[in-house]
Each structure stands twice: as C-alpha cells, then as structure tokens.
Amino acid sequence: MSIDHLRKYINEVRIDHFAEGTKVFSEGEDSNGKMFFVFSGKLQVFKRKANGEDQYVRDIKPGEFFGEMALVFPSPRAATVLASAEDTKVGIITKEIFLAMGHESPGFLSVILQSIINRLTSVEDQITDRQLELHTLINQMPSLRADPLTTESVTTNEENTQDSTNTEEKAE
C-alpha cells in the first residue's frame, strides 16, 4: 500500500478517547461492523462466565487491534472491552475502510487473518488444557473410581449365579 493510500485511510478513521473504566463495548452488543486499533493507553477484555461473573481474558496494548471478527462475521460482541488507562485513544475502522484497505493491500488482510488464527489457536489450546484438568478432576473423584472390593464382590456374585445355574442344569 502506498503512503498516499495509507494517509487516505488513516484520515477516514475516527478516533475516540476513553477514560479509565469506560466500556468500548459490551459482550452481546451488536458489533456494527467495526473493529478497533489502539493508538495509546491500554484496554482489558472480559468474558462473562456461566455464573454471571466477568472473567479477565487479556490486555490490549498500543499497536494492537480488536473486534476484527465484526468485519468478517456479523455477530454480537463476544466479550466486553474496558479502557484500563487514562485517555486511551482508539481508532475505529469501519467495514468500508477495512474492505478498501484490503483491496489496496492484501498484506493488510494477511495481518488480520493471522491475528484471527492466533486467537483461535489460543482458544483451542485453552480448551485442551481445560479438558485435561476436567479429566484429572473426574478421575480423582472417589465416587467415580472403581472400588476393588465392589468389583470383586460383583464378579463373585456373578460367578456364584452362573455356578448355581450350571448346577441346576446338571441336575435336570
């Protein structure tokens, strides 16, 4: 992308300032086809847990972007993003700007795609970790572990039942 084209798009980007503690958007909100680029400050991402509590996910720092899924898949916001530094400056990239930049520079699209892939890979790794933790917890639960005495007595009872059936058959 040439410098002139880049300037054109940068001039079209709206800049918003957020005070510390201010929400950029909330989980479940309409995405409005906008992604964000952090110029200064810092933001935090939170996901709502099943019990209704917000769980911290990650920080977003200057030079990073977020909300890009809104440009490629129109769905409600997947998380809540809050400014965590005073005067956090964020650029808002609309779908129109995004598509025009992508048309001018396939490299730009590659950066966005790489970010999405990295986040997806991270989520898959977290799921795998949680599955292993869950598997370990389940295997440590006394009520779910096999009790050797119970197993032996069941086997013995089954054998006794089978033996008495065989004895009855021989008697006939």
Side-chain angles (χ1 to χ4, degrees):
M1 178 178 290
S2 73
I3 296 297
D4 291 333
H5 283 107
L6 185 57
R7 280 190 189 121
K8 172 186 167 193
Y9 296 119
I10 288 175
N11 289 333
E12 291 181 25
V13 172
R14 188 178 93 210
I15 308 291
D16 279 355
H17 295 260
F18 295 92
E20 186 173 0
T22 305
K23 284 184 185 176
V24 176
F25 55 73
S26 297
E27 183 173 347
E29 214 174 85
D30 183 28
S31 64
N32 299 326
K34 297 176 184 172
M35 72 173 274
F36 303 84
F37 181 84
V38 182
F39 288 104
S40 64
K42 188 169 97 174
L43 299 115
Q44 292 182 324
V45 179
F46 295 90
K47 278 286 288 171
R48 193 172 308 119
K49 294 179 358 180
N51 66 5
E53 291 179 26
D54 285 337
Q55 179 177 3
Y56 167 81
V57 175
R58 68 184 183 97
D59 286 330
I60 306 171
K61 299 174 184 132
E64 296 180 339
F65 52 87
F66 61 100
E68 68 278 3
M69 289 298 292
L71 301 176
V72 294
F73 186 71
S75 62
R77 295 290 181 186
T80 297
V81 177
L82 296 171
S84 58
E86 201 55 45
D87 194 29
T88 297
K89 189 166 37 169
V90 176
I92 300 172
I93 299 173
T94 64
K95 189 167 189 167
E96 293 75 28
I97 294 171
F98 172 78
L99 293 173
M101 289 174 74
H103 181 72
E104 293 287 331
S105 173
F108 170 73
L109 294 177
S110 178
V111 168
I112 300 295
L113 181 59
Q114 186 62 44
S115 171
I116 292 170
I117 290 169
N118 287 342
R119 288 189 194 154
L120 179 60
T121 301
S122 174
V123 167
E124 287 175 339
D125 290 345
Q126 290 173 1
I127 289 170
T128 299
D129 291 346
R130 296 300 174 265
Q131 285 175 328
L132 290 172
E133 288 173 15
L134 185 59
H135 180 74
T136 300
L137 286 172
I138 288 171
N139 285 330
Q140 291 174 350
M141 292 177 70
S143 62
L144 297 178
R145 280 189 275 169
D147 183 0
L149 295 176
T150 305
T151 305
E152 187 176 294
S153 63
V154 168
T155 304
T156 304
N157 288 339
E158 286 175 2
E159 288 171 356
N160 289 341
T161 304
Q162 193 173 24
D163 287 344
S164 65
T165 303
N166 288 340
T167 305
E168 290 171 9
E169 288 173 1
K170 288 179 186 174
E172 292 175 2

PDB file of all heavy atoms in Angstrom, residues 89-115:
ATOM      1  N   LYS A  89      -6.665   6.012  23.552  1.00  0.00           N
ATOM      2  CA  LYS A  89      -7.034   6.507  22.223  1.00  0.00           C
ATOM      3  C   LYS A  89      -7.153   5.327  21.263  1.00  0.00           C
ATOM      4  O   LYS A  89      -6.212   4.560  21.070  1.00  0.00           O
ATOM      5  CB  LYS A  89      -5.990   7.507  21.721  1.00  0.00           C
ATOM      6  CG  LYS A  89      -6.415   8.201  20.458  1.00  0.00           C
ATOM      7  CD  LYS A  89      -5.610   9.435  20.046  1.00  0.00           C
ATOM      8  CE  LYS A  89      -4.162   9.418  20.298  1.00  0.00           C
ATOM      9  NZ  LYS A  89      -3.458  10.530  19.638  1.00  0.00           N
ATOM     10  N   VAL A  90      -8.363   5.216  20.659  1.00  0.00           N
ATOM     11  CA  VAL A  90      -8.690   4.069  19.817  1.00  0.00           C
ATOM     12  C   VAL A  90      -9.220   4.547  18.473  1.00  0.00           C
ATOM     13  O   VAL A  90     -10.093   5.416  18.417  1.00  0.00           O
ATOM     14  CB  VAL A  90      -9.758   3.195  20.522  1.00  0.00           C
ATOM     15  CG1 VAL A  90     -10.203   2.048  19.643  1.00  0.00           C
ATOM     16  CG2 VAL A  90      -9.229   2.681  21.849  1.00  0.00           C
ATOM     17  N   GLY A  91      -8.684   3.973  17.390  1.00  0.00           N
ATOM     18  CA  GLY A  91      -9.195   4.251  16.053  1.00  0.00           C
ATOM     19  C   GLY A  91     -10.266   3.247  15.696  1.00  0.00           C
ATOM     20  O   GLY A  91     -10.141   2.062  16.001  1.00  0.00           O
ATOM     21  N   ILE A  92     -11.323   3.734  15.061  1.00  0.00           N
ATOM     22  CA  ILE A  92     -12.432   2.863  14.674  1.00  0.00           C
ATOM     23  C   ILE A  92     -12.391   2.658  13.166  1.00  0.00           C
ATOM     24  O   ILE A  92     -12.432   3.617  12.399  1.00  0.00           O
ATOM     25  CB  ILE A  92     -13.781   3.467  15.100  1.00  0.00           C
ATOM     26  CG1 ILE A  92     -13.791   3.636  16.628  1.00  0.00           C
ATOM     27  CG2 ILE A  92     -14.936   2.596  14.622  1.00  0.00           C
ATOM     28  CD1 ILE A  92     -14.981   4.388  17.150  1.00  0.00           C
ATOM     29  N   ILE A  93     -12.275   1.402  12.770  1.00  0.00           N
ATOM     30  CA  ILE A  93     -12.195   1.042  11.357  1.00  0.00           C
ATOM     31  C   ILE A  93     -13.522   0.398  10.957  1.00  0.00           C
ATOM     32  O   ILE A  93     -13.897  -0.651  11.483  1.00  0.00           O
ATOM     33  CB  ILE A  93     -11.014   0.087  11.097  1.00  0.00           C
ATOM     34  CG1 ILE A  93      -9.706   0.782  11.486  1.00  0.00           C
ATOM     35  CG2 ILE A  93     -10.987  -0.365   9.646  1.00  0.00           C
ATOM     36  CD1 ILE A  93      -8.483  -0.112  11.445  1.00  0.00           C
ATOM     37  N   THR A  94     -14.216   1.037  10.040  1.00  0.00           N
ATOM     38  CA  THR A  94     -15.497   0.506   9.561  1.00  0.00           C
ATOM     39  C   THR A  94     -15.258  -0.589   8.529  1.00  0.00           C
ATOM     40  O   THR A  94     -14.141  -0.740   8.004  1.00  0.00           O
ATOM     41  CB  THR A  94     -16.351   1.616   8.916  1.00  0.00           C
ATOM     42  OG1 THR A  94     -15.644   2.091   7.760  1.00  0.00           O
ATOM     43  CG2 THR A  94     -16.638   2.746   9.890  1.00  0.00           C
ATOM     44  N   LYS A  95     -16.298  -1.303   8.218  1.00  0.00           N
ATOM     45  CA  LYS A  95     -16.200  -2.364   7.218  1.00  0.00           C
ATOM     46  C   LYS A  95     -15.789  -1.798   5.856  1.00  0.00           C
ATOM     47  O   LYS A  95     -14.992  -2.408   5.140  1.00  0.00           O
ATOM     48  CB  LYS A  95     -17.528  -3.114   7.106  1.00  0.00           C
ATOM     49  CG  LYS A  95     -17.439  -4.348   6.248  1.00  0.00           C
ATOM     50  CD  LYS A  95     -18.663  -5.219   6.404  1.00  0.00           C
ATOM     51  CE  LYS A  95     -18.420  -6.544   5.709  1.00  0.00           C
ATOM     52  NZ  LYS A  95     -19.413  -7.539   6.066  1.00  0.00           N
ATOM     53  N   GLU A  96     -16.288  -0.613   5.514  1.00  0.00           N
ATOM     54  CA  GLU A  96     -15.942   0.009   4.232  1.00  0.00           C
ATOM     55  C   GLU A  96     -14.445   0.319   4.163  1.00  0.00           C
ATOM     56  O   GLU A  96     -13.793   0.040   3.151  1.00  0.00           O
ATOM     57  CB  GLU A  96     -16.756   1.293   4.018  1.00  0.00           C
ATOM     58  CG  GLU A  96     -18.244   1.073   3.843  1.00  0.00           C
ATOM     59  CD  GLU A  96     -18.980   0.742   5.141  1.00  0.00           C
ATOM     60  OE1 GLU A  96     -18.535   1.164   6.238  1.00  0.00           O
ATOM     61  OE2 GLU A  96     -19.992   0.027   5.057  1.00  0.00           O
ATOM     62  N   ILE A  97     -13.897   0.888   5.232  1.00  0.00           N
ATOM     63  CA  ILE A  97     -12.454   1.190   5.267  1.00  0.00           C
ATOM     64  C   ILE A  97     -11.660  -0.106   5.213  1.00  0.00           C
ATOM     65  O   ILE A  97     -10.670  -0.220   4.484  1.00  0.00           O
ATOM     66  CB  ILE A  97     -12.095   2.015   6.518  1.00  0.00           C
ATOM     67  CG1 ILE A  97     -12.747   3.399   6.445  1.00  0.00           C
ATOM     68  CG2 ILE A  97     -10.583   2.145   6.673  1.00  0.00           C
ATOM     69  CD1 ILE A  97     -12.629   4.209   7.728  1.00  0.00           C
ATOM     70  N   PHE A  98     -12.098  -1.087   5.982  1.00  0.00           N
ATOM     71  CA  PHE A  98     -11.433  -2.383   6.022  1.00  0.00           C
ATOM     72  C   PHE A  98     -11.361  -3.013   4.628  1.00  0.00           C
ATOM     73  O   PHE A  98     -10.295  -3.451   4.181  1.00  0.00           O
ATOM     74  CB  PHE A  98     -12.176  -3.307   6.991  1.00  0.00           C
ATOM     75  CG  PHE A  98     -11.708  -4.727   6.990  1.00  0.00           C
ATOM     76  CD1 PHE A  98     -10.554  -5.093   7.657  1.00  0.00           C
ATOM     77  CD2 PHE A  98     -12.424  -5.719   6.327  1.00  0.00           C
ATOM     78  CE1 PHE A  98     -10.117  -6.416   7.662  1.00  0.00           C
ATOM     79  CE2 PHE A  98     -12.010  -7.035   6.323  1.00  0.00           C
ATOM     80  CZ  PHE A  98     -10.850  -7.383   6.997  1.00  0.00           C
ATOM     81  N   LEU A  99     -12.490  -3.042   3.931  1.00  0.00           N
ATOM     82  CA  LEU A  99     -12.526  -3.644   2.597  1.00  0.00           C
ATOM     83  C   LEU A  99     -11.658  -2.867   1.611  1.00  0.00           C
ATOM     84  O   LEU A  99     -10.945  -3.468   0.793  1.00  0.00           O
ATOM     85  CB  LEU A  99     -13.963  -3.754   2.091  1.00  0.00           C
ATOM     86  CG  LEU A  99     -14.850  -4.739   2.856  1.00  0.00           C
ATOM     87  CD1 LEU A  99     -16.297  -4.643   2.380  1.00  0.00           C
ATOM     88  CD2 LEU A  99     -14.316  -6.164   2.729  1.00  0.00           C
ATOM     89  N   ALA A 100     -11.686  -1.536   1.693  1.00  0.00           N
ATOM     90  CA  ALA A 100     -10.864  -0.726   0.797  1.00  0.00           C
ATOM     91  C   ALA A 100      -9.377  -0.949   1.076  1.00  0.00           C
ATOM     92  O   ALA A 100      -8.580  -1.089   0.139  1.00  0.00           O
ATOM     93  CB  ALA A 100     -11.220   0.752   0.964  1.00  0.00           C
ATOM     94  N   MET A 101      -9.006  -1.012   2.351  1.00  0.00           N
ATOM     95  CA  MET A 101      -7.598  -1.264   2.696  1.00  0.00           C
ATOM     96  C   MET A 101      -7.171  -2.650   2.233  1.00  0.00           C
ATOM     97  O   MET A 101      -6.063  -2.838   1.742  1.00  0.00           O
ATOM     98  CB  MET A 101      -7.381  -1.107   4.202  1.00  0.00           C
ATOM     99  CG  MET A 101      -7.469   0.328   4.678  1.00  0.00           C
ATOM    100  SD  MET A 101      -7.383   0.493   6.473  1.00  0.00           S
ATOM    101  CE  MET A 101      -5.649   0.194   6.770  1.00  0.00           C
ATOM    102  N   GLY A 102      -8.072  -3.622   2.384  1.00  0.00           N
ATOM    103  CA  GLY A 102      -7.773  -4.981   1.936  1.00  0.00           C
ATOM    104  C   GLY A 102      -7.620  -5.065   0.434  1.00  0.00           C
ATOM    105  O   GLY A 102      -6.770  -5.796  -0.076  1.00  0.00           O
ATOM    106  N   HIS A 103      -8.426  -4.291  -0.276  1.00  0.00           N
ATOM    107  CA  HIS A 103      -8.332  -4.254  -1.738  1.00  0.00           C
ATOM    108  C   HIS A 103      -6.989  -3.657  -2.172  1.00  0.00           C
ATOM    109  O   HIS A 103      -6.358  -4.144  -3.111  1.00  0.00           O
ATOM    110  CB  HIS A 103      -9.498  -3.443  -2.316  1.00  0.00           C
ATOM    111  CG  HIS A 103      -9.490  -3.378  -3.805  1.00  0.00           C
ATOM    112  ND1 HIS A 103      -9.814  -4.467  -4.589  1.00  0.00           N
ATOM    113  CD2 HIS A 103      -9.183  -2.368  -4.653  1.00  0.00           C
ATOM    114  CE1 HIS A 103      -9.700  -4.127  -5.855  1.00  0.00           C
ATOM    115  NE2 HIS A 103      -9.326  -2.853  -5.930  1.00  0.00           N
ATOM    116  N   GLU A 104      -6.576  -2.621  -1.487  1.00  0.00           N
ATOM    117  CA  GLU A 104      -5.305  -1.946  -1.806  1.00  0.00           C
ATOM    118  C   GLU A 104      -4.095  -2.749  -1.347  1.00  0.00           C
ATOM    119  O   GLU A 104      -3.041  -2.674  -1.958  1.00  0.00           O
ATOM    120  CB  GLU A 104      -5.252  -0.559  -1.149  1.00  0.00           C
ATOM    121  CG  GLU A 104      -6.236   0.433  -1.695  1.00  0.00           C
ATOM    122  CD  GLU A 104      -5.852   0.938  -3.082  1.00  0.00           C
ATOM    123  OE1 GLU A 104      -4.650   0.980  -3.406  1.00  0.00           O
ATOM    124  OE2 GLU A 104      -6.776   1.280  -3.832  1.00  0.00           O
ATOM    125  N   SER A 105      -4.266  -3.479  -0.241  1.00  0.00           N
ATOM    126  CA  SER A 105      -3.126  -4.190   0.331  1.00  0.00           C
ATOM    127  C   SER A 105      -3.529  -5.561   0.858  1.00  0.00           C
ATOM    128  O   SER A 105      -4.023  -5.677   1.983  1.00  0.00           O
ATOM    129  CB  SER A 105      -2.520  -3.373   1.478  1.00  0.00           C
ATOM    130  OG  SER A 105      -1.527  -4.124   2.136  1.00  0.00           O
ATOM    131  N   PRO A 106      -3.300  -6.599   0.075  1.00  0.00           N
ATOM    132  CA  PRO A 106      -3.586  -7.947   0.577  1.00  0.00           C
ATOM    133  C   PRO A 106      -2.780  -8.265   1.846  1.00  0.00           C
ATOM    134  O   PRO A 106      -3.210  -9.065   2.662  1.00  0.00           O
ATOM    135  CB  PRO A 106      -3.170  -8.861  -0.583  1.00  0.00           C
ATOM    136  CG  PRO A 106      -3.266  -7.988  -1.792  1.00  0.00           C
ATOM    137  CD  PRO A 106      -2.888  -6.611  -1.325  1.00  0.00           C
ATOM    138  N   GLY A 107      -1.646  -7.599   2.012  1.00  0.00           N
ATOM    139  CA  GLY A 107      -0.837  -7.794   3.228  1.00  0.00           C
ATOM    140  C   GLY A 107      -1.602  -7.395   4.478  1.00  0.00           C
ATOM    141  O   GLY A 107      -1.455  -8.007   5.538  1.00  0.00           O
ATOM    142  N   PHE A 108      -2.432  -6.357   4.360  1.00  0.00           N
ATOM    143  CA  PHE A 108      -3.262  -5.924   5.480  1.00  0.00           C
ATOM    144  C   PHE A 108      -4.221  -7.046   5.881  1.00  0.00           C
ATOM    145  O   PHE A 108      -4.373  -7.364   7.065  1.00  0.00           O
ATOM    146  CB  PHE A 108      -4.036  -4.655   5.090  1.00  0.00           C
ATOM    147  CG  PHE A 108      -5.097  -4.253   6.078  1.00  0.00           C
ATOM    148  CD1 PHE A 108      -4.762  -3.703   7.307  1.00  0.00           C
ATOM    149  CD2 PHE A 108      -6.439  -4.439   5.779  1.00  0.00           C
ATOM    150  CE1 PHE A 108      -5.741  -3.329   8.211  1.00  0.00           C
ATOM    151  CE2 PHE A 108      -7.426  -4.075   6.677  1.00  0.00           C
ATOM    152  CZ  PHE A 108      -7.072  -3.520   7.896  1.00  0.00           C
ATOM    153  N   LEU A 109      -4.852  -7.668   4.896  1.00  0.00           N
ATOM    154  CA  LEU A 109      -5.765  -8.777   5.174  1.00  0.00           C
ATOM    155  C   LEU A 109      -5.029  -9.956   5.802  1.00  0.00           C
ATOM    156  O   LEU A 109      -5.556 -10.643   6.676  1.00  0.00           O
ATOM    157  CB  LEU A 109      -6.477  -9.218   3.899  1.00  0.00           C
ATOM    158  CG  LEU A 109      -7.442  -8.210   3.286  1.00  0.00           C
ATOM    159  CD1 LEU A 109      -8.028  -8.757   1.983  1.00  0.00           C
ATOM    160  CD2 LEU A 109      -8.540  -7.832   4.258  1.00  0.00           C
ATOM    161  N   SER A 110      -3.800 -10.162   5.357  1.00  0.00           N
ATOM    162  CA  SER A 110      -2.989 -11.240   5.907  1.00  0.00           C
ATOM    163  C   SER A 110      -2.723 -11.026   7.399  1.00  0.00           C
ATOM    164  O   SER A 110      -2.766 -11.970   8.191  1.00  0.00           O
ATOM    165  CB  SER A 110      -1.668 -11.344   5.137  1.00  0.00           C
ATOM    166  OG  SER A 110      -0.869 -12.356   5.691  1.00  0.00           O
ATOM    167  N   VAL A 111      -2.464  -9.786   7.791  1.00  0.00           N
ATOM    168  CA  VAL A 111      -2.229  -9.467   9.203  1.00  0.00           C
ATOM    169  C   VAL A 111      -3.482  -9.758  10.024  1.00  0.00           C
ATOM    170  O   VAL A 111      -3.418 -10.355  11.101  1.00  0.00           O
ATOM    171  CB  VAL A 111      -1.787  -7.989   9.364  1.00  0.00           C
ATOM    172  CG1 VAL A 111      -1.822  -7.555  10.822  1.00  0.00           C
ATOM    173  CG2 VAL A 111      -0.404  -7.789   8.775  1.00  0.00           C
ATOM    174  N   ILE A 112      -4.635  -9.359   9.503  1.00  0.00           N
ATOM    175  CA  ILE A 112      -5.901  -9.609  10.205  1.00  0.00           C
ATOM    176  C   ILE A 112      -6.157 -11.111  10.317  1.00  0.00           C
ATOM    177  O   ILE A 112      -6.503 -11.619  11.389  1.00  0.00           O
ATOM    178  CB  ILE A 112      -7.086  -8.925   9.482  1.00  0.00           C
ATOM    179  CG1 ILE A 112      -6.892  -7.410   9.391  1.00  0.00           C
ATOM    180  CG2 ILE A 112      -8.411  -9.272  10.147  1.00  0.00           C
ATOM    181  CD1 ILE A 112      -6.877  -6.675  10.701  1.00  0.00           C
ATOM    182  N   LEU A 113      -5.975 -11.824   9.223  1.00  0.00           N
ATOM    183  CA  LEU A 113      -6.182 -13.270   9.216  1.00  0.00           C
ATOM    184  C   LEU A 113      -5.241 -13.959  10.205  1.00  0.00           C
ATOM    185  O   LEU A 113      -5.655 -14.851  10.951  1.00  0.00           O
ATOM    186  CB  LEU A 113      -5.985 -13.836   7.809  1.00  0.00           C
ATOM    187  CG  LEU A 113      -6.193 -15.334   7.644  1.00  0.00           C
ATOM    188  CD1 LEU A 113      -7.610 -15.726   8.052  1.00  0.00           C
ATOM    189  CD2 LEU A 113      -5.923 -15.744   6.208  1.00  0.00           C
ATOM    190  N   GLN A 114      -3.984 -13.544  10.242  1.00  0.00           N
ATOM    191  CA  GLN A 114      -3.014 -14.136  11.172  1.00  0.00           C
ATOM    192  C   GLN A 114      -3.458 -13.907  12.614  1.00  0.00           C
ATOM    193  O   GLN A 114      -3.360 -14.803  13.444  1.00  0.00           O
ATOM    194  CB  GLN A 114      -1.614 -13.540  10.941  1.00  0.00           C
ATOM    195  CG  GLN A 114      -0.532 -14.199  11.770  1.00  0.00           C
ATOM    196  CD  GLN A 114      -0.355 -15.666  11.450  1.00  0.00           C
ATOM    197  OE1 GLN A 114      -0.332 -16.065  10.294  1.00  0.00           O
ATOM    198  NE2 GLN A 114      -0.228 -16.488  12.472  1.00  0.00           N
ATOM    199  N   SER A 115      -3.983 -12.721  12.902  1.00  0.00           N
ATOM    200  CA  SER A 115      -4.473 -12.433  14.252  1.00  0.00           C
ATOM    201  C   SER A 115      -5.629 -13.352  14.621  1.00  0.00           C
ATOM    202  O   SER A 115      -5.682 -13.899  15.732  1.00  0.00           O
ATOM    203  CB  SER A 115      -4.922 -10.970  14.343  1.00  0.00           C
ATOM    204  OG  SER A 115      -5.585 -10.742  15.552  1.00  0.00           O
TER     205      SER A 115
END
